[in-house]
PDB file of all heavy atoms in Angstrom:
ATOM      1  N   ALA A 460      29.517 -37.249  -5.618  1.00 72.00           N
ATOM      2  CA  ALA A 460      29.552 -38.708  -5.534  1.00 72.00           C
ATOM      3  C   ALA A 460      29.807 -39.361  -6.886  1.00 72.00           C
ATOM      4  O   ALA A 460      30.386 -40.452  -6.971  1.00 72.00           O
ATOM      5  CB  ALA A 460      28.233 -39.218  -4.948  1.00 72.00           C
ATOM      6  N   GLN A 461      29.406 -38.704  -7.959  1.00 68.00           N
ATOM      7  CA  GLN A 461      29.542 -39.292  -9.306  1.00 68.00           C
ATOM      8  C   GLN A 461      30.644 -38.626 -10.124  1.00 68.00           C
ATOM      9  O   GLN A 461      30.643 -38.722 -11.350  1.00 68.00           O
ATOM     10  CB  GLN A 461      28.198 -39.149 -10.045  1.00 68.00           C
ATOM     11  CG  GLN A 461      27.051 -39.879  -9.362  1.00 68.00           C
ATOM     12  CD  GLN A 461      25.706 -39.572  -9.990  1.00 68.00           C
ATOM     13  OE1 GLN A 461      25.623 -38.882 -11.002  1.00 68.00           O
ATOM     14  NE2 GLN A 461      24.637 -40.084  -9.386  1.00 68.00           N
ATOM     15  N   ARG A 462      31.584 -38.002  -9.433  1.00 66.00           N
ATOM     16  CA  ARG A 462      32.608 -37.253 -10.178  1.00 66.00           C
ATOM     17  C   ARG A 462      33.526 -38.156 -11.010  1.00 66.00           C
ATOM     18  O   ARG A 462      34.139 -37.713 -11.969  1.00 66.00           O
ATOM     19  CB  ARG A 462      33.443 -36.419  -9.216  1.00 66.00           C
ATOM     20  CG  ARG A 462      34.222 -37.198  -8.175  1.00 66.00           C
ATOM     21  CD  ARG A 462      34.962 -36.251  -7.235  1.00 66.00           C
ATOM     22  NE  ARG A 462      35.724 -36.958  -6.216  1.00 66.00           N
ATOM     23  CZ  ARG A 462      35.228 -37.392  -5.075  1.00 66.00           C
ATOM     24  NH1 ARG A 462      33.940 -37.208  -4.809  1.00 66.00           N
ATOM     25  NH2 ARG A 462      35.990 -38.024  -4.198  1.00 66.00           N
ATOM     26  N   GLY A 463      33.624 -39.448 -10.670  1.00 56.00           N
ATOM     27  CA  GLY A 463      34.491 -40.329 -11.436  1.00 56.00           C
ATOM     28  C   GLY A 463      33.793 -41.011 -12.601  1.00 56.00           C
ATOM     29  O   GLY A 463      34.421 -41.730 -13.375  1.00 56.00           O
ATOM     30  N   GLN A 464      32.483 -40.807 -12.744  1.00 58.00           N
ATOM     31  CA  GLN A 464      31.728 -41.458 -13.806  1.00 58.00           C
ATOM     32  C   GLN A 464      31.751 -40.624 -15.084  1.00 58.00           C
ATOM     33  O   GLN A 464      32.008 -39.419 -15.049  1.00 58.00           O
ATOM     34  CB  GLN A 464      30.281 -41.678 -13.351  1.00 58.00           C
ATOM     35  CG  GLN A 464      30.155 -42.574 -12.125  1.00 58.00           C
ATOM     36  CD  GLN A 464      28.705 -42.735 -11.701  1.00 58.00           C
ATOM     37  OE1 GLN A 464      27.785 -42.360 -12.430  1.00 58.00           O
ATOM     38  NE2 GLN A 464      28.515 -43.322 -10.516  1.00 58.00           N
ATOM     39  N   PRO A 465      31.473 -41.255 -16.248  1.00 53.00           N
ATOM     40  CA  PRO A 465      31.419 -40.498 -17.505  1.00 53.00           C
ATOM     41  C   PRO A 465      30.370 -39.394 -17.420  1.00 53.00           C
ATOM     42  O   PRO A 465      29.310 -39.573 -16.814  1.00 53.00           O
ATOM     43  CB  PRO A 465      31.021 -41.564 -18.539  1.00 53.00           C
ATOM     44  CG  PRO A 465      31.413 -42.859 -17.925  1.00 53.00           C
ATOM     45  CD  PRO A 465      31.238 -42.690 -16.448  1.00 53.00           C
ATOM     46  N   LYS A 466      30.650 -38.256 -18.027  1.00 63.00           N
ATOM     47  CA  LYS A 466      29.753 -37.099 -17.930  1.00 63.00           C
ATOM     48  C   LYS A 466      29.344 -36.657 -19.322  1.00 63.00           C
ATOM     49  O   LYS A 466      30.133 -36.655 -20.254  1.00 63.00           O
ATOM     50  CB  LYS A 466      30.454 -35.946 -17.200  1.00 63.00           C
ATOM     51  CG  LYS A 466      30.846 -36.257 -15.761  1.00 63.00           C
ATOM     52  CD  LYS A 466      31.533 -35.060 -15.142  1.00 63.00           C
ATOM     53  CE  LYS A 466      31.856 -35.317 -13.676  1.00 63.00           C
ATOM     54  NZ  LYS A 466      32.825 -36.407 -13.513  1.00 63.00           N
ATOM     55  N   TRP A 467      28.084 -36.299 -19.432  1.00 69.00           N
ATOM     56  CA  TRP A 467      27.575 -35.673 -20.641  1.00 69.00           C
ATOM     57  C   TRP A 467      27.309 -34.210 -20.329  1.00 69.00           C
ATOM     58  O   TRP A 467      26.708 -33.875 -19.299  1.00 69.00           O
ATOM     59  CB  TRP A 467      26.295 -36.351 -21.100  1.00 69.00           C
ATOM     60  CG  TRP A 467      26.466 -37.797 -21.451  1.00 69.00           C
ATOM     61  CD1 TRP A 467      26.851 -38.318 -22.649  1.00 69.00           C
ATOM     62  CD2 TRP A 467      26.254 -38.905 -20.582  1.00 69.00           C
ATOM     63  NE1 TRP A 467      26.901 -39.672 -22.597  1.00 69.00           N
ATOM     64  CE2 TRP A 467      26.530 -40.083 -21.323  1.00 69.00           C
ATOM     65  CE3 TRP A 467      25.860 -39.053 -19.239  1.00 69.00           C
ATOM     66  CZ2 TRP A 467      26.431 -41.355 -20.804  1.00 69.00           C
ATOM     67  CZ3 TRP A 467      25.762 -40.313 -18.715  1.00 69.00           C
ATOM     68  CH2 TRP A 467      26.043 -41.452 -19.488  1.00 69.00           C
ATOM     69  N   PHE A 468      27.711 -33.347 -21.208  1.00 80.00           N
ATOM     70  CA  PHE A 468      27.576 -31.909 -20.952  1.00 80.00           C
ATOM     71  C   PHE A 468      26.123 -31.539 -20.715  1.00 80.00           C
ATOM     72  O   PHE A 468      25.797 -30.786 -19.788  1.00 80.00           O
ATOM     73  CB  PHE A 468      28.137 -31.108 -22.128  1.00 80.00           C
ATOM     74  CG  PHE A 468      27.925 -29.626 -21.985  1.00 80.00           C
ATOM     75  CD1 PHE A 468      28.716 -28.869 -21.128  1.00 80.00           C
ATOM     76  CD2 PHE A 468      26.893 -28.987 -22.673  1.00 80.00           C
ATOM     77  CE1 PHE A 468      28.519 -27.508 -20.982  1.00 80.00           C
ATOM     78  CE2 PHE A 468      26.684 -27.626 -22.513  1.00 80.00           C
ATOM     79  CZ  PHE A 468      27.499 -26.885 -21.670  1.00 80.00           C
ATOM     80  N   ALA A 469      25.215 -32.060 -21.552  1.00 85.00           N
ATOM     81  CA  ALA A 469      23.798 -31.717 -21.407  1.00 85.00           C
ATOM     82  C   ALA A 469      23.253 -32.192 -20.056  1.00 85.00           C
ATOM     83  O   ALA A 469      22.447 -31.499 -19.418  1.00 85.00           O
ATOM     84  CB  ALA A 469      22.995 -32.333 -22.553  1.00 85.00           C
ATOM     85  N   ALA A 470      23.705 -33.378 -19.615  1.00 84.00           N
ATOM     86  CA  ALA A 470      23.253 -33.891 -18.324  1.00 84.00           C
ATOM     87  C   ALA A 470      23.757 -33.018 -17.177  1.00 84.00           C
ATOM     88  O   ALA A 470      23.030 -32.734 -16.221  1.00 84.00           O
ATOM     89  CB  ALA A 470      23.715 -35.328 -18.151  1.00 84.00           C
ATOM     90  N   MET A 471      25.016 -32.588 -17.270  1.00 86.00           N
ATOM     91  CA  MET A 471      25.569 -31.692 -16.248  1.00 86.00           C
ATOM     92  C   MET A 471      24.815 -30.365 -16.235  1.00 86.00           C
ATOM     93  O   MET A 471      24.506 -29.807 -15.168  1.00 86.00           O
ATOM     94  CB  MET A 471      27.060 -31.458 -16.521  1.00 86.00           C
ATOM     95  CG  MET A 471      27.934 -32.699 -16.359  1.00 86.00           C
ATOM     96  SD  MET A 471      29.618 -32.422 -16.926  1.00 86.00           S
ATOM     97  CE  MET A 471      30.106 -31.043 -15.900  1.00 86.00           C
ATOM     98  N   LEU A 472      24.499 -29.868 -17.449  1.00 90.00           N
ATOM     99  CA  LEU A 472      23.758 -28.608 -17.546  1.00 90.00           C
ATOM    100  C   LEU A 472      22.364 -28.745 -16.949  1.00 90.00           C
ATOM    101  O   LEU A 472      21.858 -27.820 -16.305  1.00 90.00           O
ATOM    102  CB  LEU A 472      23.676 -28.176 -19.012  1.00 90.00           C
ATOM    103  CG  LEU A 472      22.997 -26.826 -19.282  1.00 90.00           C
ATOM    104  CD1 LEU A 472      23.776 -25.712 -18.594  1.00 90.00           C
ATOM    105  CD2 LEU A 472      22.901 -26.576 -20.786  1.00 90.00           C
ATOM    106  N   ALA A 473      21.760 -29.917 -17.151  1.00 89.00           N
ATOM    107  CA  ALA A 473      20.422 -30.149 -16.603  1.00 89.00           C
ATOM    108  C   ALA A 473      20.427 -30.036 -15.081  1.00 89.00           C
ATOM    109  O   ALA A 473      19.558 -29.383 -14.483  1.00 89.00           O
ATOM    110  CB  ALA A 473      19.915 -31.526 -17.031  1.00 89.00           C
ATOM    111  N   ARG A 474      21.383 -30.671 -14.435  1.00 89.00           N
ATOM    112  CA  ARG A 474      21.474 -30.582 -12.977  1.00 89.00           C
ATOM    113  C   ARG A 474      21.752 -29.157 -12.521  1.00 89.00           C
ATOM    114  O   ARG A 474      21.190 -28.684 -11.523  1.00 89.00           O
ATOM    115  CB  ARG A 474      22.570 -31.517 -12.478  1.00 89.00           C
ATOM    116  CG  ARG A 474      22.127 -32.965 -12.330  1.00 89.00           C
ATOM    117  CD  ARG A 474      23.257 -33.813 -11.822  1.00 89.00           C
ATOM    118  NE  ARG A 474      22.815 -35.162 -11.501  1.00 89.00           N
ATOM    119  CZ  ARG A 474      23.631 -36.165 -11.250  1.00 89.00           C
ATOM    120  NH1 ARG A 474      24.948 -35.968 -11.299  1.00 89.00           N
ATOM    121  NH2 ARG A 474      23.163 -37.364 -10.954  1.00 89.00           N
ATOM    122  N   LEU A 475      22.618 -28.476 -13.243  1.00 92.00           N
ATOM    123  CA  LEU A 475      22.958 -27.104 -12.863  1.00 92.00           C
ATOM    124  C   LEU A 475      21.734 -26.204 -12.958  1.00 92.00           C
ATOM    125  O   LEU A 475      21.464 -25.401 -12.038  1.00 92.00           O
ATOM    126  CB  LEU A 475      24.078 -26.582 -13.758  1.00 92.00           C
ATOM    127  CG  LEU A 475      24.510 -25.123 -13.507  1.00 92.00           C
ATOM    128  CD1 LEU A 475      25.039 -24.981 -12.075  1.00 92.00           C
ATOM    129  CD2 LEU A 475      25.555 -24.691 -14.530  1.00 92.00           C
ATOM    130  N   VAL A 476      20.973 -26.317 -14.045  1.00 95.00           N
ATOM    131  CA  VAL A 476      19.783 -25.490 -14.211  1.00 95.00           C
ATOM    132  C   VAL A 476      18.744 -25.823 -13.138  1.00 95.00           C
ATOM    133  O   VAL A 476      18.093 -24.924 -12.575  1.00 95.00           O
ATOM    134  CB  VAL A 476      19.194 -25.674 -15.623  1.00 95.00           C
ATOM    135  CG1 VAL A 476      17.839 -24.955 -15.740  1.00 95.00           C
ATOM    136  CG2 VAL A 476      20.153 -25.140 -16.674  1.00 95.00           C
ATOM    137  N   ALA A 477      18.580 -27.113 -12.827  1.00 95.00           N
ATOM    138  CA  ALA A 477      17.635 -27.510 -11.779  1.00 95.00           C
ATOM    139  C   ALA A 477      18.060 -26.936 -10.430  1.00 95.00           C
ATOM    140  O   ALA A 477      17.217 -26.484  -9.639  1.00 95.00           O
ATOM    141  CB  ALA A 477      17.540 -29.029 -11.712  1.00 95.00           C
ATOM    142  N   TRP A 478      19.360 -26.945 -10.176  1.00 95.00           N
ATOM    143  CA  TRP A 478      19.860 -26.395  -8.905  1.00 95.00           C
ATOM    144  C   TRP A 478      19.636 -24.893  -8.841  1.00 95.00           C
ATOM    145  O   TRP A 478      19.179 -24.365  -7.818  1.00 95.00           O
ATOM    146  CB  TRP A 478      21.338 -26.728  -8.763  1.00 95.00           C
ATOM    147  CG  TRP A 478      21.917 -26.312  -7.437  1.00 95.00           C
ATOM    148  CD1 TRP A 478      21.823 -26.981  -6.260  1.00 95.00           C
ATOM    149  CD2 TRP A 478      22.657 -25.116  -7.170  1.00 95.00           C
ATOM    150  NE1 TRP A 478      22.462 -26.293  -5.256  1.00 95.00           N
ATOM    151  CE2 TRP A 478      22.993 -25.133  -5.784  1.00 95.00           C
ATOM    152  CE3 TRP A 478      23.077 -24.052  -7.950  1.00 95.00           C
ATOM    153  CZ2 TRP A 478      23.711 -24.118  -5.187  1.00 95.00           C
ATOM    154  CZ3 TRP A 478      23.807 -23.034  -7.339  1.00 95.00           C
ATOM    155  CH2 TRP A 478      24.123 -23.069  -5.975  1.00 95.00           C
ATOM    156  N   ILE A 479      19.937 -24.173  -9.939  1.00 96.00           N
ATOM    157  CA  ILE A 479      19.735 -22.715  -9.970  1.00 96.00           C
ATOM    158  C   ILE A 479      18.248 -22.379  -9.817  1.00 96.00           C
ATOM    159  O   ILE A 479      17.885 -21.411  -9.146  1.00 96.00           O
ATOM    160  CB  ILE A 479      20.295 -22.124 -11.279  1.00 96.00           C
ATOM    161  CG1 ILE A 479      21.814 -22.274 -11.316  1.00 96.00           C
ATOM    162  CG2 ILE A 479      19.900 -20.654 -11.420  1.00 96.00           C
ATOM    163  CD1 ILE A 479      22.445 -21.842 -12.633  1.00 96.00           C
ATOM    164  N   THR A 480      17.387 -23.187 -10.420  1.00 97.00           N
ATOM    165  CA  THR A 480      15.944 -22.971 -10.283  1.00 97.00           C
ATOM    166  C   THR A 480      15.514 -23.108  -8.825  1.00 97.00           C
ATOM    167  O   THR A 480      14.717 -22.302  -8.318  1.00 97.00           O
ATOM    168  CB  THR A 480      15.178 -23.982 -11.151  1.00 97.00           C
ATOM    169  OG1 THR A 480      15.599 -23.846 -12.514  1.00 97.00           O
ATOM    170  CG2 THR A 480      13.676 -23.748 -11.064  1.00 97.00           C
TER     171      THR A 480
END
Side-chain angles (χ1 to χ4, degrees):
Q461 299 172 5
R462 62 183 180 275
Q464 299 179 11
K466 298 180 176 64
W467 298 274
F468 175 77
M471 294 171 58
L472 183 62
R474 278 181 172 168
L475 178 61
V476 172
W478 185 81
I479 294 174
T480 302

